[in-house]
Amino acid sequence: MPMPWFLLSLALGRSPVVLSLERLEGLQDAARCSPGLSCHLWDGDVVCLPGSIVSAPGPVLVPTSLQTELVRRCYQETDCDLCVRVAVHLAVHGHWEKPEDEEKLGRAADPEPEEPRNASLQAQVVLSFQAYPTARCVLLEVQVPAALVQPGQSVGSVVFDCFEAALGTEVQIWSYTQPRYQKELNLTRQLPDCRGLEVQDSIQSCRALPWLSVTADGDNVHLVLDVSEEQSFGLSLYWNQTGPQTIPLNQTDIVPCLCVQVWPLEPDSVRTSICPFTEDPRAHRNLWRAARLQLLPPRGWRLDAPCSLHAQATLCWQAPGRGPCQPLVPPLPRENVTVNMALEFPLLKGHPNLCVQQVSSWEKLQLQECLWADSLGPLKDDMLLVEARGPQDNRSFCALEPSGCTPLLSRASTRAARLGEQLLQDLHSGQCLQLWDDDLGALWACPMDKYIHQRWVLVWLACLLFAAALFLLFLLKKDHVKGWLRLLKEDIRAGAAARGRAALLLYSADDAGFERLVGALASALCQVPLRVAVDLWSRRELSAQGPLAWFHAQRRRTVQEGGLVVLIFSPGAVALCREWLQDAGPAPGAHGPHDAFAASLSCVLPDFLQGRAPGRYVGAYFDGLLHADAVPALFRAVPVFPLPSQLPAFLGSLQGPRGPRLGERAEQVARALQPALDSCLRPPGTAGMGRGMGPEAGDRT
């Protein structure tokens, strides 16, 4: 089955660092020492019995560190096995013990050192090797001459050739002496597979291994395995995590810990594993999108994610509205995050306005969730007070607002400053909820409902007085008021009919001819009547605000007024949509400064992906310029109309169920569209200049 290009395009064809290995001839194990030492390898393997630790009678040899090196042990020119060479570094441990009579009488009578105590040292060093499915123990005898015996000093090393092991396996090595004077040394190593070694022609299992490569055909990717015709093979995409998992793979499943494994279907075959997405920025974006914050009552939380993340978490305060969540750092510190591990909030109580922010290692906000919103209800219009405690029980208070932390008893023109004394009274009377407390300060959430209610009481009193005055006027001049109300009703009806429903047109500026066609459609829709917004008529606003800000404002106004956003599909628009759906995004600078369609896709696509598009969007394309199947399947969740063949249905969708009959209007729109559409359908070089868009092409929004 073809797979998306970015699924396997990264490192499947990338070559890792290739190691060239030393070649050893023959089957015999061997041992060699540093200059000045003598060593001997016992014939055959020995039994691994470390025994218990005993006290050293004087200076003894002990192993201090282990080193490994990969070599090839070859029996013929093209018949070799992987082998692990082990080097054991040795040092002198302990001192000569003083005789009991010297300890009693001291050394004052004979201060000269006694040379006869210096003698050569001999040790039996055991090497234990385990690598599934084999285990071995060998014994090395090492002798150090007296000239090199210095307590606490290194004397050299002994090298053993070698332990055979399979490619890609994990090996464990231990070293100790007999008798044992200290804890045994241990070393664990993961051996590379065939991809990391220059052994394809000498190790038989590597010659039989399927080799991977990747070819691309447009948006499709093909994984090519170079194997013989009679060989069977297995292929696996797996998560580099512990524990069994069943994973349905799609584009959004590409994360940094996703790995690929391939192996021949033969007994004890070697498997090749690669993790190609470890450094891929797109995989890291998918990982953050898959991450979820979960509340664990009473004050615990956990970050769930398929891979480990390098991030920090902090609490923030989200006030009602669209303002940013304000981090509570300080007074609360940031904490390092461990994925899939329960963590504790440093809080006394939860609050719906408290949210958790996840900040990545490059100081970018990646994730924010208000965990208590589900259990404690929607955001509240509470004021967060920050208490700072100094020496001698000095305390100061400020209120967290969008402009910063405002001191309560200040002359600032903010709401917190105006209500500073009342908020302090609420705090001292126990009306505020304490969220956090330590030696340096505290956090308090104070309700503001009663102050909002006081303001509304005055508004309602004013409204009642105004209504009473109107009622008195109605009683005094009943007949005149009836006539005025009748005229007002007629004006409202006429105005509503004249204004029409709002429609925001989004299109990709493929060429000048297509822009003229969209301009003709927009001008014709204004005569339906509809209130049309299109970037062609708002060049000055686009230059001042930018395409994204302009689209946000127009979309919000259109949705609030019950209108529709019209997506006009063309070959260029379809290409842009596919770029976004494949998560590549348009290249910076690839579109003009006024291209609202390219800028709007970052907000349009989430509406379709989250099921919010029906009732807010409709689609359209022009007959002859685009085939119906070219419209991406995601956008077919809303009606998509070919124009002008389905103009009546298109206009009916824009007008809504209560709109007037549009038979004649549809014919007028079709006549207005046809010249511009014919101009676009002519071959290049034969089209005329086309009709202009008339005075309606001015700045109308």
Side-chain angles (χ1 to χ4, degrees):
M1 180 181 66
M3 305 175 74
W5 169 235
F6 83 93
L7 175 65
L8 290 173
S9 63
L10 290 177
L12 285 180
R14 181 174 60 193
S15 297
V17 176
V18 178
L19 302 178
S20 180
L21 303 184
E22 180 183 341
R23 179 187 180 97
L24 301 180
E25 302 290 345
L27 302 176
Q28 291 296 113
D29 296 335
R32 65 181 187 275
C33 313
S34 299
L37 307 184
S38 61
C39 54
H40 170 69
L41 173 65
W42 279 36
D43 295 335
D45 291 357
V46 298
V47 179
C48 296
L49 293 174
S52 57
I53 298 177
V54 298
S55 299
V60 294
L61 285 179
V62 293
T64 57
S65 63
L66 296 173
Q67 285 183 311
T68 60
E69 180 185 358
L70 294 181
V71 295
R72 287 179 295 166
R73 169 171 282 172
C74 298
Y75 317 108
Q76 296 179 2
E77 182 65 27
T78 59
D79 185 10
C80 302
D81 285 328
L82 190 65
C83 214
V84 181
R85 172 183 290 165
V86 182
V88 185
H89 295 269
L90 302 171
V92 178
H93 173 73
H95 300 271
W96 294 108
E97 295 182 356
K98 295 181 180 181
E100 294 182 2
D101 56 349
E102 289 186 6
E103 291 180 359
K104 295 179 180 178
L105 300 177
R107 300 294 302 272
D110 187 10
E112 295 296 328
E114 294 187 3
E115 294 297 334
R117 290 184 180 179
N118 290 339
S120 63
L121 295 181
Q122 186 174 358
Q124 292 184 336
V125 180
V126 178
L127 280 177
S128 174
F129 180 87
Q130 291 188 6
Y132 180 83
T134 61
R136 293 186 60 193
C137 273
V138 297
L139 182 63
L140 303 166
E141 285 189 351
V142 184
Q143 187 168 357
V144 181
L148 298 179
V149 177
Q150 296 292 333
Q153 297 296 319
S154 175
V155 297
S157 61
V158 58
V159 178
F160 171 75
D161 283 330
C162 58
F163 295 113
E164 295 182 7
L167 288 159
T169 60
E170 181 181 84
V171 301
Q172 292 180 311
I173 304 170
W174 291 269
S175 179
Y176 52 89
T177 58
Q178 287 185 344
R180 187 159 64 97
Y181 303 113
Q182 65 179 19
K183 184 178 180 181
E184 64 268 19
L185 297 179
N186 65 82
L187 183 67
T188 301
R189 286 288 183 266
Q190 180 68 44
L191 302 186
D193 55 25
C194 296
R195 288 177 56 89
L197 300 172
E198 201 175 69
V199 294
Q200 293 93 323
D201 297 330
S202 58
I203 296 182
Q204 184 177 2
S205 59
C206 290
R207 293 200 301 271
L209 187 69
W211 293 95
L212 300 172
S213 62
V214 176
T215 61
D217 180 14
D219 292 335
N220 296 325
V221 144
H222 302 281
L223 178 61
V224 179
L225 301 181
D226 185 10
V227 297
S228 60
E229 294 183 357
E230 65 275 4
Q231 184 180 9
S232 301
F233 63 91
L235 174 67
S236 173
L237 300 177
Y238 70 99
W239 297 90
N240 190 17
Q241 299 288 93
T242 58
Q245 299 199 32
T246 302
I247 305 297
L249 185 65
N250 54 47
Q251 292 183 2
T252 58
D253 288 329
I254 306 305
V255 291
C257 60
L258 181 64
C259 300
V260 182
Q261 188 179 81
V262 63
W263 69 96
L265 295 181
E266 300 172 358
D268 299 326
S269 59
V270 178
R271 299 194 176 199
T272 296
S273 301
I274 55 175
C275 301
F277 309 107
T278 305
E279 304 297 333
D280 181 17
R282 292 169 291 188
H284 283 273
R285 287 198 296 268
N286 285 340
L287 175 58
W288 277 108
R289 290 171 183 167
R292 292 292 180 269
L293 288 170
Q294 182 178 355
L295 180 65
L296 304 175
R299 294 186 305 275
W301 66 285
R302 184 178 66 223
L303 176 63
D304 295 329
C307 307
S308 60
L309 284 168
H310 299 288
Q312 290 183 322
T314 183
L315 288 172
C316 63
W317 180 264
Q318 179 65 65
R322 300 184 179 181
C325 194
Q326 297 175 276
L328 302 179
V329 180
L332 297 182
R334 286 185 177 179
E335 294 186 5
N336 293 324
V337 178
T338 303
V339 174
N340 303 326
M341 178 180 292
L343 302 172
E344 281 287 328
F345 287 116
L347 297 173
L348 301 175
K349 297 287 184 180
H351 193 280
N353 293 28
L354 283 174
C355 306
V356 180
Q357 286 183 339
Q358 297 289 331
V359 181
S360 62
S361 56
W362 55 93
E363 295 296 326
K364 181 179 179 182
L365 177 62
Q366 296 285 0
L367 187 64
Q368 176 180 310
E369 289 192 28
C370 300
L371 298 178
W372 285 277
D374 293 336
S375 58
L376 300 181
L379 300 179
K380 296 181 179 180
D381 192 17
D382 290 357
M383 184 70 69
L384 185 70
L385 301 186
V386 180
E387 176 186 352
R389 297 169 182 168
Q392 300 179 355
D393 200 25
N394 291 329
R395 300 193 300 172
S396 61
F397 295 89
C398 65
L400 195 64
E401 295 186 292
S403 59
C405 206
T406 306
L408 291 186
L409 301 179
S410 68
R411 297 182 179 180
S413 59
T414 64
R415 181 173 66 162
R418 290 193 299 269
L419 301 174
E421 293 185 1
Q422 293 94 319
L423 289 172
L424 284 177
Q425 292 175 3
D426 293 344
L427 177 64
H428 296 316
S429 62
Q431 299 182 39
C432 299
L433 177 67
Q434 189 176 31
L435 304 179
W436 171 76
D437 182 41
D438 76 349
D439 296 337
L440 299 178
L443 295 176
W444 305 83
C446 298
M448 302 291 289
D449 296 343
K450 62 180 179 180
Y451 302 110
I452 298 174
H453 293 160
Q454 291 174 2
R455 185 185 306 171
W456 280 109
V457 166
L458 296 177
V459 174
W460 279 112
L461 285 175
C463 292
L464 288 174
L465 290 175
F466 182 70
L470 286 179
F471 183 71
L472 181 60
L473 179 64
F474 179 77
L475 292 178
L476 293 176
K477 296 186 177 182
K478 181 177 179 181
D479 295 335
H480 294 285
V481 172
K482 282 185 176 181
W484 178 76
L485 290 176
R486 183 166 53 253
L487 292 175
L488 180 61
K489 184 177 180 180
E490 293 176 357
D491 289 343
I492 291 176
R493 288 180 176 176
R499 288 186 62 191
R501 198 179 185 191
L504 171 60
L505 304 188
L506 293 179
Y507 69 98
S508 173
D510 292 5
D511 52 48
F514 190 77
E515 281 193 306
R516 286 194 293 271
L517 179 58
V518 174
L521 175 63
S523 299
L525 293 179
C526 288
Q527 307 301 321
V528 171
L530 290 169
R531 289 181 293 111
V532 179
V534 64
D535 64 351
L536 277 173
W537 300 343
S538 306
R539 295 298 196 198
R540 284 178 295 186
E541 293 182 18
L542 278 170
S543 299
Q545 303 175 10
L548 187 59
W550 179 86
F551 165 74
H552 271 297
Q554 296 296 331
R555 175 183 173 276
R556 183 173 62 252
R557 183 186 307 166
T558 300
V559 173
Q560 288 176 351
E561 295 178 0
L564 289 175
V565 179
V566 182
L567 302 177
I568 302 177
F569 291 99
S570 64
V574 169
L576 278 173
C577 293
R578 286 177 176 167
E579 289 182 28
W580 279 91
L581 288 173
Q582 293 174 0
D583 200 27
H591 306 282
H594 305 304
D595 197 340
F597 186 84
S600 66
L601 283 178
S602 61
C603 301
V604 170
L605 286 176
D607 285 344
F608 279 86
L609 291 171
Q610 297 172 14
R612 299 194 303 260
R616 297 182 178 182
Y617 294 83
V618 296
Y621 61 92
F622 293 104
D623 295 321
L625 296 183
L626 191 72
H627 194 272
D629 294 338
V631 178
L634 177 67
F635 297 97
R636 297 176 195 168
V638 301
V640 181
F641 303 97
L643 304 180
S645 58
Q646 291 189 14
L647 260 175
F650 175 66
L651 296 179
S653 177
L654 294 183
Q655 282 280 27
R658 297 184 179 180
R661 302 183 65 178
L662 298 170
E664 184 178 350
R665 299 283 186 176
E667 294 179 1
Q668 294 175 359
V669 175
R671 286 196 298 269
L673 283 180
Q674 201 60 50
L677 182 58
D678 292 341
S679 176
C680 289
L681 293 175
R682 294 193 191 104
T686 63
M689 294 299 294
R691 270 187 357 188
M693 292 178 286
E696 295 87 350
D699 193 349
R700 305 177 63 149
T701 57

